[in-house]
């Protein structure tokens, strides 16, 4: 399949998703919006992955390409395309689908558990998941549940950690795709946010648990396979 990703900053790439795409034999290309690259034609892609970034969904004055990106996402949704949004990507999808995006009650940065909702536990995509899973977070904003969406997960400080809208529009506030290298890049570029709150771990705490990315790979790959094909 022809998979395309949207990247907002150099240091938040698709990470392990790239390895998964190559291992499955998919055609894999991306648009680096921060570099001024043009969005693709919808007719040229089969599925879309929208990555994270430190900007907010409403920072259009600073990042004017956000306007074009939101319009593109709206068109892709109307087209019935499978779309996965991660962190900022999930917030963009939520807003395009009619939800509000606001500052969370606290920043959530580091390794913290999410809890699957009853709806997620009953959904075939998540049958192999435990009811609680420690994942990697790096966000300060949150979103309300888009109208008609299924809530997938919560955490102690973030009520909406994921949603499924329709059959194939999936938003995840948390990160399954990270590797130790991409976590190190996040710390390098955004480390001033660390250790400043009850749910922001220090760089040392985050790096000490970076090996947990290996645990997340199986959940990530299984979910990507199911999202892309629609098959449980």
């Amino acid at each position: 399949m022809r998979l395309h990703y949207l990247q907002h900053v150099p240091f938040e790439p698709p990470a392990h998703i790239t390895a998964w795409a190559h291992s499955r034999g998919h055609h894999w290309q991306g648009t680096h919006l921060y570099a001024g690259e043009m969005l693709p034609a919808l007719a040229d892609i089969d599925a879309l992955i929208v990555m994270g970034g430190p900007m907010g969904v409403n920072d259009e004055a600073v990042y004017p390409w956000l306007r074009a990106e939101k319009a593109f996402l709206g068109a892709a949704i109307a087209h019935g395309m499978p779309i996965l949004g991660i962190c900022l990507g999930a917030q963009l999808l939520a807003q395009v689908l009619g939800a509000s995006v606001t500052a969370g009650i606290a920043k959530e940065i580091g390794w913290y558990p999410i809890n699957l909702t009853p709806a997620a536990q009953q959904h075939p995509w998540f049958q192999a998941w435990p009811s609680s899973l420690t994942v990697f977070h790096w966000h300060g904003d949150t979103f309300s549940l888009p109208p008609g969406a299924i809530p997938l997960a919560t955490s102690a400080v973030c009520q909406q950690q994921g949603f499924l809208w329709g059959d194939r529009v999936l938003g995840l506030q948390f990160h399954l795709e990270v590797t130790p290298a991409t976590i190190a890049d996040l710390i390098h570029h955004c480390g001033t946010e660390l250790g400043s709150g009850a749910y922001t771990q220090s760089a040392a705490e985050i790096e000490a648990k970076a090996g947990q990315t290996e645990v997340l790979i199986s959940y990530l790959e299984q979910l990507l396979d199911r999202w892309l094909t629609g098959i449980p």
Side-chain angles (χ1 to χ4, degrees):
M1 296 185 79
R2 301 169 301 172
L3 308 188
H4 199 92
Y5 65 91
L6 304 181
Q7 187 171 332
H8 303 106
V9 286
F11 53 88
E12 289 204 48
H16 188 77
I17 298 175
T18 296
W20 163 83
H22 290 318
S23 72
R24 301 303 193 264
H26 297 306
H27 185 259
W28 181 242
Q29 287 188 315
T31 297
H32 301 89
L33 292 163
Y34 60 90
E37 294 180 358
M38 299 295 293
L39 290 162
L42 286 177
D44 293 337
I45 62 176
D46 298 313
L48 183 66
I49 297 174
V50 191
M51 299 310 303
M55 62 284 297
V57 298
N58 294 315
D59 290 345
E60 297 173 354
V62 181
Y63 307 100
W65 41 259
L66 281 167
R67 295 188 187 92
E69 182 181 15
K70 292 177 192 178
F72 180 75
L73 293 177
I77 291 169
H79 192 70
M81 181 175 293
I83 310 172
L84 167 62
I86 297 172
C87 201
L88 173 64
Q91 295 165 13
L92 287 165
L93 285 175
Q95 187 181 70
V96 170
L97 288 167
S100 60
V101 180
T102 59
I105 60 173
K107 289 184 178 180
E108 190 173 26
I109 304 175
W111 297 96
Y112 295 104
I114 56 167
N115 299 303
L116 294 191
T117 64
Q121 293 181 54
Q122 295 169 13
H123 195 282
W125 289 2
F126 299 93
Q127 289 300 299
W129 288 46
S131 60
S132 180
L133 178 68
T134 296
V135 298
F136 187 70
H137 305 263
W138 200 306
H139 65 96
D141 289 347
T142 187
F143 50 82
S144 62
L145 186 68
I150 297 171
L152 298 177
T154 66
S155 69
V157 294
C158 186
Q159 184 66 24
Q160 301 298 337
Q161 281 285 352
F163 66 86
L164 177 63
W165 185 90
D167 294 328
R168 309 281 279 287
V169 179
L170 177 63
L172 303 178
Q173 182 61 67
F174 53 93
H175 296 269
L176 298 176
E177 82 287 354
V178 287
T179 66
T182 56
I183 288 174
D185 280 345
L186 278 167
I187 291 171
H188 174 74
H189 289 279
C190 303
T192 55
E193 298 182 74
L194 297 178
S196 59
Y199 291 90
T200 57
Q201 294 173 346
S202 68
E205 289 175 300
I206 291 171
E207 290 177 327
K209 297 180 179 180
Q212 293 188 44
T213 56
E214 292 297 318
V215 177
L216 301 181
I217 285 175
S218 62
Y219 295 105
L220 171 69
E221 293 192 343
Q222 182 187 75
L223 183 59
L224 289 170
D225 288 336
R226 292 174 171 178
W227 159 76
L228 189 59
T229 63
I231 299 173

